[in-house]
Amino acid sequence: MFAFRLDARSGVPTYLQLVDQVRRGLLLGYLVDGDRLPTVREVAATLVINPNTVAKAYRDLERAGLAAPRAGQGTFVVGSVDQVPAATYVKLSHGLRGWLRTAHDAGLDHDQIRALVTATLDDDQAQAGAA
Amino acid sequence: MFAFRLDARSGVPTYLQLVDQVRRGLLLGYLVDGDRLPTVREVAATLVINPNTVAKAYRDLERAGLAAPRAGQGTFVVGSVDQVPAATYVKLSHGLRGWLRTAHDAGLDHDQIRALVTATLDDDQAQAGAA
Amino acid sequence: MFAFRLDARSGVPTYLQLVDQVRRGLLLGYLVDGDRLPTVREVAATLVINPNTVAKAYRDLERAGLAAPRAGQGTFVVGSVDQVPAATYVKLSHGLRGWLRTAHDAGLDHDQIRALVTATLDDDQAQAGAA
Amino acid sequence: MFAFRLDARSGVPTYLQLVDQVRRGLLLGYLVDGDRLPTVREVAATLVINPNTVAKAYRDLERAGLAAPRAGQGTFVVGSVDQVPAATYVKLSHGLRGWLRTAHDAGLDHDQIRALVTATLDDDQAQAGAA
DNA sequence: GTGGTCTAGACCACA
DNA sequence: GTGGTCTAGACCACC
């Protein structure tokens, strides 16, 4: 079953974190067309947030064409996005985890790692945008 | 000169993006004690945002003890954080850039790469938290 | 200034009535790109409904690409739809008003007129769909 | 046999659409006292909706005094409403269909026509209410 | 039981 | 002052 996670410190609105996680799930193949998302009430209870917040996220997904509610049954993933092929995903994920281990071994904590990664990704995207 | 960058799509409040970037700069050694930050007006003009938003970011940095205004001269970085040693930083950064190239070569776009990275980092942090 | 109207008896959710009216305004040329919609608080006060309900409608319009919020300034119409040419509109509107007068003169009340119109439009659309 | 039609996009609750259509049928003479409505199962199967939804609509009609169940035989239209005289109805309907043709010929699609009609009817009713 | 709508009211980000 | 987010809680439509 798909599970959500929240990071209160990030400053990203709760409902957007939920939306992003479903989007990411689709992108990476964790979620596929037809999968049932946890119910609004389940998510609200698990994450200890207001059901309306979850409903707002699900509504956003619906408007984006990524989910569809079925009254009395739950909300289902629908449509899809360009998925990363499984083999590619496994290989890249493995490589990244290796790098992560190196970073931890070098004494970096999570914040420092995130800072490094974010800076590098931002640079990468900025260069691509400028090119 | 230190330069800010904004991502309107991220959902992170503008002023927080500015604060985070200074914090990241310190963590990674882009910014060191004594460096001068661009003026509120410069940042506001460059990013086309309201000066109040920049001022709020600088105020937050000040309260966090990471920056200090000097009357008539601008705002300066002060104090510091656990910095990543330069050698370590260079090695890790190089490794990460290599991985990024692999990801691009595999055909992933920026969104897919960010999705993969975020998912991996979140997993990593979640496991550490659970351990 | 654009003004909203509500029909509590229709069974259509309040926020959808608002969305539909903006859509209709665009279709008929009452609203054009750049027009400012009344603020959330104004609409809420005028119609005596909850500001959240108005905000929901405006958010829907935003997701549909028909409106854009500007913090501190209000919500603005943006983008557009296939508009009915003004001349065509005037001619057709005139014709319809004439028919309406005939219907009133024949003794029909609003409900009966709406019933007749709805039935006729539904038939028309059903035939087109079947064709 | 009386046939129901649904418009999922309208936002009007399913059961209300059914009730309204029977009401409209009575108003316009499509349905008269004694006519048999399709069974709950038939309607549910044809429209692919839950039988409970149909049952609720029939219950509402019953409470409004517009329909009555006869054990083992089905539900029948009963009582009546101010009907539009057949001659008047035919004349007005003919006129409206003529206008509709004009609108189609002018290049308007169904959405645009509905927008124009709704706007005109709403105006008409608002004026009457204000008078 | 599911999702959807609406209200009331607090607080935040931004101009 | 503008829109945005979140909470709390009632009620409805539909399965």
Side-chain angles (χ1 to χ4, degrees):
Chain A
M1 167 63 87
F2 192 73
F4 290 102
R5 225 177 260 151
L6 287 183
D7 176 5
R9 294 187 323 163
S10 71
V12 180
T14 309
Y15 83 93
L16 262 187
Q17 294 190 38
L18 302 182
V19 169
D20 286 346
Q21 282 171 44
V22 170
R23 267 217 162 78
R24 235 157 45 213
L26 273 165
L27 230 42
L28 301 179
Y30 292 154
L31 283 175
V32 297
D33 190 292
D35 279 1
R36 183 169 172 278
L37 293 173
T39 69
V40 169
R41 286 160 169 85
E42 276 169 12
V43 177
T46 307
L47 301 181
V48 195
I49 57 178
N50 192 290
N52 286 338
T53 303
V54 184
K56 186 174 188 177
Y58 279 16
R59 185 179 176 75
D60 262 33
L61 288 168
E62 181 192 349
R63 307 235 80 205
L66 299 177
R70 295 188 209 153
Q73 299 182 59
T75 301
F76 293 77
V77 170
V78 66
S80 188
V81 234
D82 270 4
Q83 255 186 44
V84 178
T88 304
Y89 169 72
V90 167
K91 204 186 61 183
L92 285 172
S93 179
H94 185 262
L96 187 56
R97 277 170 212 280
W99 179 86
L100 251 185
R101 243 192 325 274
T102 319
H104 279 303
D105 290 348
L108 274 65
D109 63 24
H110 288 293
D111 281 350
Q112 292 173 320
I113 290 177
R114 270 187 196 272
L116 213 175
V117 169
T118 305
T120 306
L121 283 179
D122 282 356
D123 269 2
D124 184 54
Q125 198 155 350
Q127 281 176 23
Chain B
M1 169 64 84
F2 191 74
F4 289 102
R5 222 176 264 148
L6 286 183
D7 177 6
R9 294 187 325 165
S10 71
V12 180
T14 308
Y15 82 95
L16 256 189
Q17 294 190 39
L18 303 182
V19 170
D20 285 348
Q21 281 171 42
V22 171
R23 211 172 229 123
R24 230 157 50 211
L26 276 165
L27 229 43
L28 303 179
Y30 291 156
L31 282 174
V32 297
D33 190 293
D35 279 1
R36 182 169 170 279
L37 293 173
T39 67
V40 168
R41 288 182 186 177
E42 281 169 6
V43 177
T46 307
L47 302 180
V48 195
I49 58 177
N50 193 294
N52 290 338
T53 304
V54 184
K56 170 158 191 182
Y58 280 15
R59 227 179 306 123
D60 273 27
L61 286 168
E62 198 181 327
R63 279 190 307 180
L66 299 177
R70 295 191 207 152
Q73 298 183 57
T75 301
F76 292 77
V77 171
V78 58
S80 185
V81 233
D82 269 5
Q83 248 187 48
V84 179
T88 305
Y89 169 72
V90 168
K91 205 189 62 183
L92 285 173
S93 179
H94 185 263
L96 186 56
R97 277 170 210 280
W99 180 85
L100 250 185
R101 243 190 326 275
T102 320
H104 278 304
D105 290 346
L108 273 66
D109 62 25
H110 289 291
D111 280 351
Q112 291 173 321
I113 290 176
R114 270 186 198 275
L116 213 175
V117 170
T118 305
T120 307
L121 283 180
D122 283 357
D123 269 4
D124 185 54
Q125 198 155 350
Q127 280 176 24
Chain C
M1 168 64 88
F2 193 74
F4 290 102
R5 225 176 260 150
L6 287 182
D7 177 6
R9 293 187 326 164
S10 71
V12 180
T14 308
Y15 84 94
L16 260 188
Q17 294 189 39
L18 302 182
V19 169
D20 286 346
Q21 281 171 42
V22 171
R23 266 217 164 79
R24 235 158 43 213
L26 274 165
L27 230 42
L28 302 179
Y30 292 155
L31 283 175
V32 298
D33 190 292
D35 280 1
R36 182 167 172 280
L37 294 174
T39 69
V40 169
R41 287 162 168 85
E42 277 169 10
V43 177
T46 307
L47 301 180
V48 195
I49 58 178
N50 193 290
N52 287 338
T53 303
V54 184
K56 187 174 188 177
Y58 278 17
R59 186 178 176 74
D60 261 34
L61 288 168
E62 182 192 348
R63 308 235 80 205
L66 298 178
R70 295 188 210 154
Q73 299 183 58
T75 301
F76 293 77
V77 170
V78 64
S80 188
V81 233
D82 270 4
Q83 256 186 42
V84 178
T88 306
Y89 170 72
V90 168
K91 205 188 60 184
L92 285 173
S93 180
H94 185 261
L96 187 56
R97 278 170 212 279
W99 180 85
L100 252 183
R101 238 185 336 267
T102 320
H104 279 304
D105 290 347
L108 273 65
D109 62 25
H110 288 292
D111 280 350
Q112 290 172 321
I113 290 176
R114 270 186 198 275
L116 212 175
V117 170
T118 305
T120 307
L121 283 179
D122 283 357
D123 268 3
D124 185 54
Q125 198 155 352
Q127 281 176 24
Chain D
M1 169 63 85
F2 191 72
F4 289 102
R5 223 176 264 149
L6 286 184
D7 178 5
R9 293 187 325 165
S10 70
V12 181
T14 308
Y15 82 95
L16 258 188
Q17 294 191 38
L18 302 182
V19 170
D20 285 348
Q21 282 172 42
V22 170
R23 212 173 229 122
R24 228 157 52 212
L26 275 164
L27 228 42
L28 302 179
Y30 291 156
L31 281 175
V32 296
D33 191 292
D35 279 0
R36 182 170 169 278
L37 293 173
T39 68
V40 169
R41 287 182 186 177
E42 279 168 7
V43 177
T46 308
L47 302 180
V48 195
I49 57 178
N50 193 293
N52 290 337
T53 304
V54 185
K56 172 159 189 180
Y58 279 17
R59 227 178 307 123
D60 273 27
L61 286 168
E62 197 180 329
R63 279 190 308 181
L66 299 177
R70 295 190 207 152
Q73 299 184 57
T75 301
F76 291 78
V77 171
V78 57
S80 187
V81 233
D82 268 5
Q83 251 188 44
V84 179
T88 305
Y89 170 73
V90 167
K91 204 188 62 183
L92 285 172
S93 179
H94 184 262
L96 187 55
R97 277 171 210 281
W99 180 86
L100 251 184
R101 243 191 326 273
T102 319
H104 278 304
D105 290 347
L108 273 67
D109 62 24
H110 289 292
D111 281 350
Q112 291 172 321
I113 290 176
R114 269 185 199 275
L116 213 175
V117 169
T118 305
T120 307
L121 284 180
D122 283 357
D123 269 2
D124 185 55
Q125 198 154 353
Q127 281 175 24

